[in-house]
C-alpha cells in the first residue's frame, strides 16, 4: 500500500524519507528506530575534502522555524565511503540516498561517483546550500545546473537515479529544474531552506556566527507546497517534497501536490521519532480512508 516509485531503479517501501542534513548520516538516529523501516535515509551533503563548517552559533530557533548556518560540515567523501556507509549498512537493509555538494563540476562528479560506487541507492545533487560560498552558484543558473547535471549523468551512466535539490529564492527555480531534468536528472528535491537571519537587538548584532542562514520549518511549508505543485505540473518528474513537515496531514498535502516522497527535516530535531511515526500514521490514515495504494493520491489535489 505504501510503496512509491522515485525514478528508474528506485522503489521506496514507503514515501517517508529524511531530509539531508537534519538526520546527519543516519547513525545518530539509529537508537530511535529501525532505519530500514523508512522509505530512505538521505545523508548529509558530502564534499571531496572534510569541512569544518561555519562558526557558532549555527542554529537559532525562531517562532517561524529554525535558522541554520552549518556551512556544509562533513567528514569528506573518503571517510563517508570507508566508515560511515558500512556502519549504516551494518544496522540493516537501509535505503541510502547520498547527497553531493561541491564547488566545481569536477568535485560534484568525483563525489557522486565515489558514493555511487559505494552502493547508495540514488543520489541527490545539492545545488542549493545557502550557507557557503558557491553553495547556490549551480542552482541559480539554468546553464550551470545543466552543465553539472550532464557531467554527473555522463559519469554515472544512463540508469543511475539522481535528483537535483533546489531552493526557490534568488532563482527561477522552474527554469533551473527544467534545465537539470533535460540534462539527465531523474527527479527533483524541493525545497532547500530559504535565506534568512535573526537579530540580537540588544547587542545590535546578527545572531548566527555566519550572519545569514537557511530557514526551515512551518514558515516555509506553503512555499514548499507551491514549488512541488508547480514542478509536478510543469515537469512530471519524481519529486521529494520537503519543508515544515511535522504531521501525517503535511505528508498527505505534499503527496496531493505531486510529491512521490516526503522528507522530514527540522521537525526531527525536536522529535527524533517523527519519521517513524509518520510511516505508521500514514498507513493508518490510508486504511481509514479506504485508499488502497498511496500512489492514488500523488498529484491529485483539485484546483478549485
Ligand atoms: O550545511 C548547511 O549549512 C546547509 C546545507 Br549544505 C543546505 O543545503 N541547506 C541548509 O539549510 N544548510
Amino acid at each position: 500500500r505504501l510503496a512509491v516509485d522515485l525514478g528508474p531503479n528506485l522503489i521506496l517501501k514507503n514515501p517517508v524519507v529524511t531530509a539531508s542534513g537534519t538526520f546527519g548520516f543516519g547513525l545518530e538516529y539509529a537508537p530511535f528506530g529501525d532505519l530500514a523501516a523508512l522509505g530512505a535515509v538521505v545523508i548529509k551533503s558530502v564534499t571531496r575534502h572534510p569541512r569544518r563548517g561555519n562558526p557558532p552559533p549555527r542554529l537559532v530557533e525562531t517562532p517561524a522555524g529554525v535558522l541554520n548556518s552549518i556551512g556544509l560540515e562533513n567528514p569528506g567523501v573518503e571517510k563517508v565511503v570507508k566508515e560511515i556507509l558500512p556502519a549504516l549498512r551494518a544496522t540493516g537493509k537501509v535505503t541510502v540516498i547520498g547527497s553531493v555538494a561541491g564547488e566545481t563540476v569536477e568535485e560534484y562528479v568525483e563525489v557522486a561517483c565515489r558514493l555511487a560506487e559505494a552502493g547508495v541507492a540514488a543520489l541527490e545533487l545539492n545545488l542549493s546550500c545557502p550557507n557557503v560560498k558557491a553553495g547556490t552558484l549551480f542552482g541559480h543558473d539554468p546553464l550551470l545546473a545543466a552543465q553539472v547535471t550532464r557531467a554527473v549523468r555522463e559519469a554515472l551512466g544512463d540508469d543511475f537515479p539522481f535528483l537535483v535539490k533546489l531552493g526557490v529564492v534568488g532563482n527561477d527555480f522552474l527554469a533551473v529544474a527544467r534545465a537539470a531534468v533535460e540534462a539527465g536528472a531523474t527527479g527533483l528535491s524541493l525545497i532547500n531552506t530559504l535565506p534568512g537571519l535573526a537579530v540580537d537587538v540588544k547587542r545590535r548584532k546578527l545572531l548566527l556566527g555566519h550572519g545569514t542562514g537557511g530557514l526551515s520549518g512551518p514558515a516555509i511549508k506553503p512555499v514548499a507546497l507551491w514549488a512541488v505543485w508547480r514542478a509536478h505540473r510543469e515537469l512530471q518528474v519524481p519529486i521529494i517534497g520537503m519543508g515544515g513537515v511535522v504531521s501525517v496531514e503535511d505528508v498527505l498535502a505534499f503527496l496531493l501536490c505531486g510529491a512521490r516522497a516526503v522528507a522530514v527535516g527540522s521537525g526531527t530535531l525536536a522529535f527524533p521519532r517523527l519519521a517513524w511515526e509518520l510511516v505508521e500514521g500514514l498507513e493508518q490514515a490510508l486504511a481509514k480512508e479506504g485508499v488502497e495504494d498511496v500512489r492514488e493520491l500523488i498529484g491529485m489535489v483539485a484546483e478549485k
Side-chain angles (χ1 to χ4, degrees), residues 98-160:
S99 173
V100 183
E103 292 184 352
T104 62
V105 170
E106 291 70 34
E107 185 175 359
Y108 275 101
V109 168
E110 183 184 330
V111 175
C113 288
R114 300 276 322 261
L115 292 175
E117 283 160 13
V120 296
L123 289 169
E124 189 173 87
L125 289 200
N126 183 356
L127 305 188
S128 47
C129 174
N131 298 327
V132 298
K133 228 173 90 202
T136 54
L137 178 71
F138 291 94
H140 279 191
D141 181 337
L143 289 177
L144 291 178
Q147 193 192 353
V148 70
T149 305
R150 194 170 300 115
V152 170
R153 169 54 69 213
E154 281 169 9
L156 292 177
D158 280 345
D159 298 326
F160 199 87

Short mmCIF file of all heavy atoms in Angstrom, two decimals, residues 98-160:
data_model
loop_
_atom_site.label_atom_id
_atom_site.label_comp_id
_atom_site.label_asym_id
_atom_site.label_seq_id
_atom_site.Cartn_x
_atom_site.Cartn_y
_atom_site.Cartn_z
N GLY A 98 22.57 9.28 -1.24
CA GLY A 98 23.72 10.12 -0.96
C GLY A 98 23.47 11.54 -1.43
O GLY A 98 22.83 11.75 -2.46
N SER A 99 23.94 12.52 -0.67
CA SER A 99 23.80 13.91 -1.09
C SER A 99 25.18 14.47 -1.42
O SER A 99 26.12 14.32 -0.64
CB SER A 99 23.13 14.72 0.02
OG SER A 99 23.14 16.10 -0.31
N VAL A 100 25.27 15.11 -2.57
CA VAL A 100 26.56 15.55 -3.11
C VAL A 100 26.61 17.07 -3.14
O VAL A 100 25.68 17.71 -3.64
CB VAL A 100 26.72 15.04 -4.55
CG1 VAL A 100 28.09 15.42 -5.11
CG2 VAL A 100 26.50 13.54 -4.63
N ALA A 101 27.71 17.65 -2.64
CA ALA A 101 27.91 19.10 -2.78
C ALA A 101 29.32 19.34 -3.30
O ALA A 101 30.17 18.45 -3.27
CB ALA A 101 27.71 19.81 -1.44
N GLY A 102 29.55 20.53 -3.78
CA GLY A 102 30.88 20.84 -4.30
C GLY A 102 30.97 22.26 -4.78
O GLY A 102 29.98 23.00 -4.78
N GLU A 103 32.17 22.64 -5.16
CA GLU A 103 32.38 24.00 -5.67
C GLU A 103 32.62 24.00 -7.17
O GLU A 103 32.57 25.05 -7.81
CB GLU A 103 33.56 24.64 -4.94
CG GLU A 103 33.25 24.91 -3.49
CD GLU A 103 34.37 25.64 -2.77
OE1 GLU A 103 35.46 25.81 -3.35
OE2 GLU A 103 34.14 26.03 -1.61
N THR A 104 32.94 22.83 -7.72
CA THR A 104 33.21 22.75 -9.16
C THR A 104 32.48 21.54 -9.74
O THR A 104 32.10 20.62 -9.00
CB THR A 104 34.72 22.55 -9.43
OG1 THR A 104 35.12 21.30 -8.83
CG2 THR A 104 35.55 23.69 -8.86
N VAL A 105 32.35 21.53 -11.05
CA VAL A 105 31.74 20.38 -11.73
C VAL A 105 32.55 19.13 -11.41
O VAL A 105 31.99 18.06 -11.11
CB VAL A 105 31.70 20.63 -13.26
CG1 VAL A 105 31.29 19.36 -14.01
CG2 VAL A 105 30.73 21.77 -13.58
N GLU A 106 33.87 19.25 -11.42
CA GLU A 106 34.73 18.09 -11.18
C GLU A 106 34.48 17.51 -9.78
O GLU A 106 34.50 16.31 -9.59
CB GLU A 106 36.22 18.46 -11.31
CG GLU A 106 36.67 18.79 -12.73
CD GLU A 106 36.08 20.11 -13.24
OE1 GLU A 106 35.89 21.06 -12.44
OE2 GLU A 106 35.77 20.18 -14.45
N GLU A 107 34.31 18.40 -8.81
CA GLU A 107 34.07 17.91 -7.45
C GLU A 107 32.74 17.17 -7.37
O GLU A 107 32.65 16.08 -6.76
CB GLU A 107 34.13 19.06 -6.43
CG GLU A 107 34.02 18.55 -4.99
CD GLU A 107 34.20 19.64 -3.93
OE1 GLU A 107 34.43 20.82 -4.30
OE2 GLU A 107 34.09 19.31 -2.73
N TYR A 108 31.68 17.72 -7.95
CA TYR A 108 30.39 17.02 -7.95
C TYR A 108 30.54 15.63 -8.59
O TYR A 108 30.03 14.64 -8.06
CB TYR A 108 29.34 17.83 -8.73
CG TYR A 108 28.63 18.88 -7.91
CD1 TYR A 108 28.99 20.22 -8.01
CD2 TYR A 108 27.60 18.54 -7.05
CE1 TYR A 108 28.34 21.19 -7.26
CE2 TYR A 108 26.92 19.50 -6.31
CZ TYR A 108 27.30 20.83 -6.41
OH TYR A 108 26.65 21.78 -5.67
N VAL A 109 31.24 15.58 -9.73
CA VAL A 109 31.37 14.31 -10.44
C VAL A 109 32.14 13.30 -9.58
O VAL A 109 31.73 12.15 -9.43
CB VAL A 109 32.08 14.51 -11.80
CG1 VAL A 109 32.49 13.18 -12.41
CG2 VAL A 109 31.17 15.29 -12.74
N GLU A 110 33.23 13.75 -8.98
CA GLU A 110 34.04 12.81 -8.20
C GLU A 110 33.28 12.28 -6.98
O GLU A 110 33.25 11.07 -6.73
CB GLU A 110 35.34 13.51 -7.73
CG GLU A 110 36.23 12.54 -6.97
CD GLU A 110 37.48 13.20 -6.41
OE1 GLU A 110 37.97 14.19 -7.02
OE2 GLU A 110 37.98 12.73 -5.37
N VAL A 111 32.63 13.19 -6.25
CA VAL A 111 31.91 12.75 -5.05
C VAL A 111 30.73 11.85 -5.44
O VAL A 111 30.48 10.81 -4.81
CB VAL A 111 31.43 13.96 -4.21
CG1 VAL A 111 30.58 13.51 -3.03
CG2 VAL A 111 32.64 14.77 -3.72
N ALA A 112 30.03 12.22 -6.51
CA ALA A 112 28.89 11.40 -6.97
C ALA A 112 29.36 9.99 -7.33
O ALA A 112 28.74 8.99 -6.92
CB ALA A 112 28.22 12.06 -8.17
N CYS A 113 30.46 9.90 -8.05
CA CYS A 113 30.96 8.58 -8.47
C CYS A 113 31.39 7.75 -7.27
O CYS A 113 31.10 6.56 -7.18
CB CYS A 113 32.11 8.72 -9.46
SG CYS A 113 31.56 9.29 -11.06
N ARG A 114 32.08 8.38 -6.32
CA ARG A 114 32.54 7.63 -5.14
C ARG A 114 31.35 7.10 -4.34
O ARG A 114 31.36 5.96 -3.88
CB ARG A 114 33.41 8.52 -4.23
CG ARG A 114 34.67 9.07 -4.87
CD ARG A 114 35.87 8.14 -4.86
NE ARG A 114 36.06 7.32 -3.69
CZ ARG A 114 36.90 7.57 -2.68
NH1 ARG A 114 37.63 8.68 -2.70
NH2 ARG A 114 37.02 6.74 -1.68
N LEU A 115 30.32 7.92 -4.17
CA LEU A 115 29.14 7.47 -3.40
C LEU A 115 28.38 6.38 -4.17
O LEU A 115 27.92 5.39 -3.60
CB LEU A 115 28.21 8.64 -3.09
CG LEU A 115 28.75 9.70 -2.12
CD1 LEU A 115 27.78 10.87 -2.01
CD2 LEU A 115 28.99 9.10 -0.73
N ALA A 116 28.28 6.55 -5.49
CA ALA A 116 27.57 5.54 -6.30
C ALA A 116 28.31 4.20 -6.24
O ALA A 116 27.69 3.15 -6.04
CB ALA A 116 27.43 6.03 -7.74
N GLU A 117 29.63 4.26 -6.35
CA GLU A 117 30.43 3.01 -6.28
C GLU A 117 30.28 2.35 -4.91
O GLU A 117 30.36 1.13 -4.79
CB GLU A 117 31.93 3.31 -6.48
CG GLU A 117 32.32 3.58 -7.91
CD GLU A 117 33.65 4.35 -7.98
OE1 GLU A 117 34.36 4.44 -6.95
OE2 GLU A 117 33.95 4.87 -9.07
N ALA A 118 30.06 3.18 -3.90
CA ALA A 118 29.93 2.64 -2.54
C ALA A 118 28.56 2.02 -2.30
O ALA A 118 28.28 1.52 -1.21
CB ALA A 118 30.21 3.73 -1.51
N GLY A 119 27.68 2.11 -3.30
CA GLY A 119 26.43 1.35 -3.22
C GLY A 119 25.20 2.11 -2.75
O GLY A 119 24.21 1.48 -2.38
N VAL A 120 25.23 3.45 -2.77
CA VAL A 120 23.99 4.16 -2.41
C VAL A 120 22.92 3.87 -3.48
O VAL A 120 23.23 3.59 -4.63
CB VAL A 120 24.19 5.69 -2.26
CG1 VAL A 120 25.15 6.00 -1.13
CG2 VAL A 120 24.68 6.32 -3.56
N ALA A 121 21.66 3.92 -3.06
CA ALA A 121 20.56 3.57 -3.96
C ALA A 121 20.32 4.66 -5.00
O ALA A 121 19.84 4.40 -6.10
CB ALA A 121 19.29 3.35 -3.16
N ALA A 122 20.64 5.90 -4.62
CA ALA A 122 20.41 7.04 -5.50
C ALA A 122 21.22 8.21 -4.96
O ALA A 122 21.79 8.12 -3.87
CB ALA A 122 18.93 7.40 -5.53
N LEU A 123 21.23 9.28 -5.71
CA LEU A 123 21.95 10.47 -5.26
C LEU A 123 21.04 11.69 -5.34
O LEU A 123 20.10 11.73 -6.13
CB LEU A 123 23.17 10.73 -6.15
CG LEU A 123 24.33 9.75 -5.99
CD1 LEU A 123 25.33 9.95 -7.12
CD2 LEU A 123 25.01 9.93 -4.64
N GLU A 124 21.40 12.65 -4.50
CA GLU A 124 20.77 13.97 -4.58
C GLU A 124 21.92 14.94 -4.84
O GLU A 124 22.90 14.92 -4.09
CB GLU A 124 20.10 14.25 -3.23
CG GLU A 124 19.22 15.47 -3.18
CD GLU A 124 18.48 15.56 -1.85
OE1 GLU A 124 19.04 16.13 -0.89
OE2 GLU A 124 17.34 15.08 -1.76
N LEU A 125 21.83 15.73 -5.88
CA LEU A 125 22.86 16.76 -6.11
C LEU A 125 22.37 18.02 -5.44
O LEU A 125 21.37 18.60 -5.86
CB LEU A 125 23.01 17.07 -7.61
CG LEU A 125 23.64 16.08 -8.56
CD1 LEU A 125 24.09 16.80 -9.82
CD2 LEU A 125 24.77 15.33 -7.93
N ASN A 126 23.08 18.44 -4.41
CA ASN A 126 22.67 19.64 -3.69
C ASN A 126 23.24 20.86 -4.41
O ASN A 126 24.43 21.14 -4.31
CB ASN A 126 23.15 19.57 -2.25
CG ASN A 126 22.68 20.75 -1.42
OD1 ASN A 126 22.04 21.66 -1.96
ND2 ASN A 126 22.98 20.74 -0.15
N LEU A 127 22.37 21.56 -5.13
CA LEU A 127 22.80 22.77 -5.85
C LEU A 127 22.30 24.01 -5.12
O LEU A 127 22.15 25.06 -5.72
CB LEU A 127 22.24 22.77 -7.29
CG LEU A 127 22.54 21.55 -8.17
CD1 LEU A 127 22.09 21.82 -9.60
CD2 LEU A 127 24.02 21.19 -8.15
N SER A 128 22.05 23.89 -3.82
CA SER A 128 21.30 24.96 -3.17
C SER A 128 21.67 25.21 -1.71
O SER A 128 20.82 25.66 -0.94
CB SER A 128 19.80 24.64 -3.26
OG SER A 128 19.55 23.30 -2.89
N CYS A 129 22.92 24.96 -1.31
CA CYS A 129 23.28 25.27 0.08
C CYS A 129 23.42 26.78 0.25
O CYS A 129 24.23 27.41 -0.41
CB CYS A 129 24.59 24.61 0.50
SG CYS A 129 25.07 25.15 2.15
N PRO A 130 22.61 27.37 1.14
CA PRO A 130 22.63 28.83 1.27
C PRO A 130 23.79 29.34 2.11
O PRO A 130 23.99 30.55 2.20
CB PRO A 130 21.30 29.13 1.97
CG PRO A 130 21.03 27.91 2.80
CD PRO A 130 21.62 26.74 2.05
N ASN A 131 24.56 28.45 2.74
CA ASN A 131 25.47 28.89 3.79
C ASN A 131 26.96 28.83 3.45
O ASN A 131 27.79 29.03 4.34
CB ASN A 131 25.24 28.05 5.05
CG ASN A 131 23.83 28.25 5.59
OD1 ASN A 131 23.29 29.33 5.46
ND2 ASN A 131 23.26 27.21 6.15
N VAL A 132 27.30 28.53 2.22
CA VAL A 132 28.72 28.51 1.85
C VAL A 132 28.92 29.24 0.52
O VAL A 132 27.98 29.37 -0.26
CB VAL A 132 29.27 27.06 1.71
CG1 VAL A 132 29.18 26.31 3.02
CG2 VAL A 132 28.56 26.29 0.61
N LYS A 133 30.15 29.69 0.34
CA LYS A 133 30.49 30.34 -0.93
C LYS A 133 30.25 29.34 -2.06
O LYS A 133 30.57 28.17 -1.94
CB LYS A 133 31.97 30.75 -0.91
CG LYS A 133 32.19 32.18 -1.36
CD LYS A 133 33.63 32.62 -1.17
CE LYS A 133 34.42 32.29 -2.42
NZ LYS A 133 35.85 32.18 -2.19
N ALA A 134 29.67 29.77 -3.12
CA ALA A 134 29.38 28.92 -4.27
C ALA A 134 28.29 27.89 -4.02
O ALA A 134 27.99 27.07 -4.87
CB ALA A 134 30.64 28.20 -4.78
N GLY A 135 27.68 27.94 -2.81
CA GLY A 135 26.66 26.94 -2.47
C GLY A 135 25.46 26.95 -3.40
O GLY A 135 24.89 25.90 -3.70
N THR A 136 25.08 28.14 -3.85
CA THR A 136 23.91 28.21 -4.71
C THR A 136 24.27 28.56 -6.15
O THR A 136 23.38 28.75 -6.98
CB THR A 136 22.90 29.27 -4.20
OG1 THR A 136 23.59 30.52 -4.06
CG2 THR A 136 22.32 28.88 -2.85
N LEU A 137 25.56 28.62 -6.43
CA LEU A 137 26.02 29.01 -7.77
C LEU A 137 25.32 28.20 -8.86
O LEU A 137 24.71 28.74 -9.78
CB LEU A 137 27.54 28.78 -7.83
CG LEU A 137 28.23 29.07 -9.14
CD1 LEU A 137 28.27 30.56 -9.39
CD2 LEU A 137 29.66 28.51 -9.12
N PHE A 138 25.38 26.86 -8.74
CA PHE A 138 24.84 25.99 -9.79
C PHE A 138 23.31 25.98 -9.81
O PHE A 138 22.72 25.69 -10.83
CB PHE A 138 25.37 24.56 -9.62
CG PHE A 138 26.84 24.44 -9.89
CD1 PHE A 138 27.78 24.54 -8.87
CD2 PHE A 138 27.29 24.25 -11.19
CE1 PHE A 138 29.14 24.42 -9.13
CE2 PHE A 138 28.65 24.15 -11.46
CZ PHE A 138 29.58 24.24 -10.43
N GLY A 139 22.72 26.26 -8.65
CA GLY A 139 21.26 26.20 -8.56
C GLY A 139 20.58 27.51 -8.94
O GLY A 139 19.35 27.59 -8.93
N HIS A 140 21.36 28.52 -9.26
CA HIS A 140 20.76 29.80 -9.63
C HIS A 140 20.86 30.08 -11.11
O HIS A 140 20.41 31.13 -11.57
CB HIS A 140 21.42 30.94 -8.83
CG HIS A 140 20.86 31.06 -7.44
ND1 HIS A 140 21.13 32.11 -6.61
CD2 HIS A 140 20.05 30.25 -6.75
CE1 HIS A 140 20.49 31.95 -5.46
NE2 HIS A 140 19.84 30.82 -5.53
N ASP A 141 21.45 29.16 -11.85
CA ASP A 141 21.68 29.43 -13.27
C ASP A 141 21.37 28.16 -14.08
O ASP A 141 22.03 27.14 -13.89
CB ASP A 141 23.16 29.82 -13.43
CG ASP A 141 23.51 30.14 -14.89
OD1 ASP A 141 22.81 29.66 -15.79
OD2 ASP A 141 24.50 30.86 -15.09
N PRO A 142 20.37 28.23 -14.94
CA PRO A 142 19.99 27.03 -15.70
C PRO A 142 21.17 26.42 -16.48
O PRO A 142 21.29 25.20 -16.56
CB PRO A 142 18.91 27.53 -16.65
CG PRO A 142 18.36 28.75 -16.00
CD PRO A 142 19.47 29.37 -15.22
N LEU A 143 22.05 27.27 -17.01
CA LEU A 143 23.16 26.74 -17.81
C LEU A 143 24.15 25.97 -16.93
O LEU A 143 24.61 24.89 -17.30
CB LEU A 143 23.88 27.87 -18.54
CG LEU A 143 23.09 28.50 -19.70
CD1 LEU A 143 23.85 29.66 -20.30
CD2 LEU A 143 22.76 27.46 -20.76
N LEU A 144 24.45 26.54 -15.76
CA LEU A 144 25.38 25.85 -14.86
C LEU A 144 24.73 24.59 -14.27
O LEU A 144 25.41 23.55 -14.12
CB LEU A 144 25.83 26.78 -13.73
CG LEU A 144 26.73 27.95 -14.15
CD1 LEU A 144 27.07 28.82 -12.95
CD2 LEU A 144 28.00 27.42 -14.81
N ALA A 145 23.45 24.66 -13.98
CA ALA A 145 22.75 23.47 -13.46
C ALA A 145 22.79 22.36 -14.50
O ALA A 145 23.03 21.19 -14.19
CB ALA A 145 21.31 23.82 -13.10
N ALA A 146 22.57 22.73 -15.76
CA ALA A 146 22.60 21.73 -16.84
C ALA A 146 24.01 21.16 -16.99
O ALA A 146 24.18 19.95 -17.18
CB ALA A 146 22.14 22.36 -18.15
N GLN A 147 24.99 22.03 -16.86
CA GLN A 147 26.39 21.59 -17.04
C GLN A 147 26.77 20.54 -15.98
O GLN A 147 27.30 19.47 -16.32
CB GLN A 147 27.30 22.80 -16.95
CG GLN A 147 28.71 22.54 -17.41
CD GLN A 147 29.65 23.69 -17.03
OE1 GLN A 147 29.23 24.73 -16.52
NE2 GLN A 147 30.93 23.48 -17.28
N VAL A 148 26.49 20.84 -14.73
CA VAL A 148 26.89 19.90 -13.67
C VAL A 148 26.05 18.63 -13.75
O VAL A 148 26.55 17.51 -13.56
CB VAL A 148 26.84 20.57 -12.27
CG1 VAL A 148 25.44 20.85 -11.81
CG2 VAL A 148 27.58 19.72 -11.25
N THR A 149 24.77 18.77 -14.07
CA THR A 149 23.90 17.60 -14.17
C THR A 149 24.36 16.68 -15.30
O THR A 149 24.44 15.46 -15.15
CB THR A 149 22.44 18.03 -14.42
OG1 THR A 149 22.06 18.94 -13.39
CG2 THR A 149 21.50 16.85 -14.41
N ARG A 150 24.67 17.28 -16.43
CA ARG A 150 25.10 16.47 -17.59
C ARG A 150 26.40 15.73 -17.28
O ARG A 150 26.55 14.55 -17.61
CB ARG A 150 25.27 17.38 -18.82
CG ARG A 150 25.37 16.60 -20.11
CD ARG A 150 25.29 17.49 -21.35
NE ARG A 150 24.04 18.22 -21.45
CZ ARG A 150 23.93 19.54 -21.38
NH1 ARG A 150 25.00 20.30 -21.20
NH2 ARG A 150 22.75 20.12 -21.51
N ALA A 151 27.32 16.44 -16.62
CA ALA A 151 28.60 15.82 -16.30
C ALA A 151 28.40 14.63 -15.35
O ALA A 151 29.01 13.57 -15.52
CB ALA A 151 29.54 16.85 -15.68
N VAL A 152 27.53 14.80 -14.36
CA VAL A 152 27.27 13.70 -13.42
C VAL A 152 26.55 12.56 -14.14
O VAL A 152 26.89 11.38 -13.96
CB VAL A 152 26.45 14.21 -12.21
CG1 VAL A 152 25.96 13.05 -11.35
CG2 VAL A 152 27.29 15.17 -11.37
N ARG A 153 25.60 12.89 -14.96
CA ARG A 153 24.88 11.85 -15.72
C ARG A 153 25.86 11.04 -16.58
O ARG A 153 25.82 9.80 -16.61
CB ARG A 153 23.78 12.49 -16.59
CG ARG A 153 23.15 11.58 -17.61
CD ARG A 153 22.61 10.28 -17.03
NE ARG A 153 21.46 10.47 -16.17
CZ ARG A 153 21.19 9.72 -15.09
NH1 ARG A 153 22.00 8.75 -14.72
NH2 ARG A 153 20.11 9.94 -14.38
N GLU A 154 26.76 11.73 -17.28
CA GLU A 154 27.71 11.00 -18.14
C GLU A 154 28.63 10.11 -17.32
O GLU A 154 28.93 8.99 -17.71
CB GLU A 154 28.51 12.00 -18.99
CG GLU A 154 27.69 12.47 -20.18
CD GLU A 154 28.30 13.65 -20.92
OE1 GLU A 154 29.46 14.02 -20.63
OE2 GLU A 154 27.60 14.21 -21.78
N ALA A 155 29.02 10.60 -16.16
CA ALA A 155 29.94 9.81 -15.32
C ALA A 155 29.23 8.60 -14.69
O ALA A 155 29.84 7.54 -14.52
CB ALA A 155 30.53 10.70 -14.24
N LEU A 156 27.94 8.75 -14.37
CA LEU A 156 27.23 7.66 -13.68
C LEU A 156 26.63 6.64 -14.63
O LEU A 156 26.24 5.55 -14.22
CB LEU A 156 26.10 8.23 -12.82
CG LEU A 156 26.48 9.07 -11.60
CD1 LEU A 156 25.23 9.61 -10.92
CD2 LEU A 156 27.30 8.25 -10.61
N GLY A 157 26.52 7.00 -15.92
CA GLY A 157 25.85 6.11 -16.87
C GLY A 157 24.35 6.39 -16.88
O GLY A 157 23.84 7.17 -16.09
N ASP A 158 23.65 5.68 -17.77
CA ASP A 158 22.26 6.03 -18.07
C ASP A 158 21.23 5.74 -16.99
O ASP A 158 20.24 6.44 -16.90
CB ASP A 158 21.82 5.29 -19.35
CG ASP A 158 22.34 6.02 -20.58
OD1 ASP A 158 22.76 7.19 -20.42
OD2 ASP A 158 22.33 5.42 -21.66
N ASP A 159 21.45 4.71 -16.21
CA ASP A 159 20.34 4.23 -15.39
C ASP A 159 20.36 4.67 -13.93
O ASP A 159 19.43 4.40 -13.19
CB ASP A 159 20.30 2.69 -15.41
CG ASP A 159 20.07 2.19 -16.82
OD1 ASP A 159 19.34 2.88 -17.56
OD2 ASP A 159 20.63 1.14 -17.18
N PHE A 160 21.44 5.32 -13.51
CA PHE A 160 21.54 5.62 -12.08
C PHE A 160 20.60 6.78 -11.71
O PHE A 160 20.64 7.84 -12.32
CB PHE A 160 22.98 5.98 -11.72
CG PHE A 160 23.24 5.85 -10.25
CD1 PHE A 160 23.63 4.65 -9.72
CD2 PHE A 160 23.05 6.93 -9.40
CE1 PHE A 160 23.83 4.51 -8.35
CE2 PHE A 160 23.23 6.80 -8.05
CZ PHE A 160 23.64 5.58 -7.52
#
